[in-house]
Amino acid sequence: MSATPPTGSHAGSAWTGDLAPEEHALRVRELIVEMCGSAEGGHLGGSMSLVEILVTLYRSVLRIDPAVPDDPERDVLLLSKGHGAIGLYAALAERGFFPAEDLATYGRPESLFSAHPNPAVPGVEMPTGSLGHGLPLGVGFALAARLDASPRRTFVLLGDGELQEGSNWEAAMAAGSLGLGRLVAVVDRNSLQITGPTENAVALEPLADRWHSFGWNVHEVDGHDIAELRATLDGIPYDADRPTVLIARTVKGRGLPYIEGQARSHYARLGERPKKRALAILRAQSRKAAQA
């Protein structure tokens, strides 16, 4: 069954300028590149792989209202892979939680926008980044919603390398045992971590079977196909008594062909020329999308 959205919520309504979702994704990528052009730099690759997932959630799925970010009946999104914070900030700005111009302070002393999620930023639920913490927190949020008889749902975005942390599997086991049907995990399966391929560190496959074994509904999707993501997420919750996981196949560094699928994209301090090059590529893609 579907929950009633919080008062004032407009999940699925248009964002700034009534753009197509693919155009919003390109705008989010531009904001990510701008932040990576700061003196501090940022986690470029893993933020770029999250973009379509974040755009789909914030544009079409989450029952939220940027004007009332602490609505007690809102859906909750936890970014467990906290190193994707600049992607989250960019998506929140594009959704209207705060002006995109505010992101120009990223990485500066006393800025709200730090390398990992800061809950002082409107729309950020929890500080994360110590990998393996987000799903256990999600179990707690989902259980609290059940005890409150609340329709709110909890979404947790996980990195695939992060799944090498045992705390995730303890949480997965607990969620399946407790039958937390309003808990949704989305795995950013870009198959890379800072040291290289995930399968060369601690192998995760057969990943879908692992989740199945803990009692989860499992869906595998193209994590860059907004239509497929939305069609899958629109069915949440599939089962009142079982949590759901989406294994989203993605490409690290998506949008910048010269770094796509490369571990070296993990963190970047873009100088002025590399930043201009990246923005030029993204803006060319934006023009092409607008003409399609």
Side-chain angles (χ1 to χ4, degrees):
M1 66 179 179
S2 296
T4 302
T7 303
S9 158
H10 298 286
S13 63
W15 292 1
T16 309
D18 198 21
L19 300 176
E22 292 77 13
E23 292 178 85
H24 283 298
L26 287 164
R27 287 165 62 113
V28 168
R29 284 198 164 89
E30 287 187 29
L31 292 171
I32 291 169
V33 166
E34 291 280 6
M35 282 183 275
C36 287
S38 70
E40 295 298 321
H43 290 93
L44 177 62
S47 295
M48 296 291 250
S49 63
L50 275 175
V51 169
E52 281 78 14
I53 297 168
L54 288 166
V55 166
T56 302
L57 285 167
Y58 279 106
R59 189 178 195 273
S60 305
V61 177
L62 292 172
R63 294 160 186 152
I64 54 170
D65 184 349
V68 191
D70 56 353
D71 188 317
E73 296 304 307
R74 70 191 181 282
D75 285 343
V76 170
L77 184 145
L78 303 173
L79 180 65
S80 188
K81 53 168 284 183
H83 55 282
I86 58 174
L88 176 61
Y89 297 152
L92 289 169
E94 185 70 0
R95 185 61 178 86
F97 280 83
F98 48 82
E101 292 77 13
D102 290 357
L103 296 176
T105 68
Y106 167 77
R108 296 180 185 172
E110 299 184 11
S111 173
L112 294 180
F113 303 100
S114 52
H116 283 219
N118 178 1
V121 174
V124 174
E125 298 285 354
M126 293 289 291
T128 54
S130 294
L131 299 179
H133 288 186
L135 192 58
L137 286 168
V139 169
F141 273 89
L143 186 56
R146 173 189 288 174
L147 294 173
D148 290 343
S150 169
R152 66 182 177 268
R153 302 170 298 174
T154 303
F155 294 79
V156 182
L157 300 190
L158 297 151
D160 50 2
E162 179 182 12
L163 294 182
Q164 294 157 2
E165 298 282 354
S167 52
N168 283 307
W169 300 108
E170 293 179 35
M173 179 170 57
S177 177
L178 291 166
L180 298 177
R182 293 190 175 276
L183 174 63
V184 183
V186 182
V187 179
D188 178 19
R189 185 65 168 124
N190 62 36
S191 298
L192 286 171
Q193 57 196 88
I194 192 169
T195 55
T198 56
E199 302 309 285
N200 291 355
V202 176
L204 298 172
E205 297 296 345
L207 187 55
D209 291 345
R210 294 177 191 268
W211 287 97
H212 272 301
S213 73
F214 285 109
W216 288 59
N217 291 303
V218 182
H219 297 264
E220 298 191 61
V221 298
D222 179 344
H224 297 303
D225 186 327
I226 291 175
E228 185 179 354
L229 284 164
R230 181 173 182 180
T232 306
L233 287 163
D234 272 351
I236 301 296
Y238 290 101
D239 186 331
D241 299 318
R242 288 204 297 165
T244 294
V245 60
L246 269 67
I247 300 173
R249 306 285 176 178
T250 63
V251 177
K252 195 156 186 162
R254 177 75 169 200
L256 299 176
Y258 57 93
I259 61 166
E260 285 185 352
Q262 298 181 43
R264 69 186 180 97
S265 72
H266 186 84
Y267 196 92
R269 288 185 178 87
L270 300 176
E272 193 62 25
R273 288 182 64 185
K275 183 179 80 171
K276 286 182 178 179
R277 178 192 182 193
L279 290 173
I281 290 170
L282 294 173
R283 287 166 184 167
Q285 294 173 15
S286 184
R287 288 192 295 270
K288 185 176 179 180
Q291 294 166 5

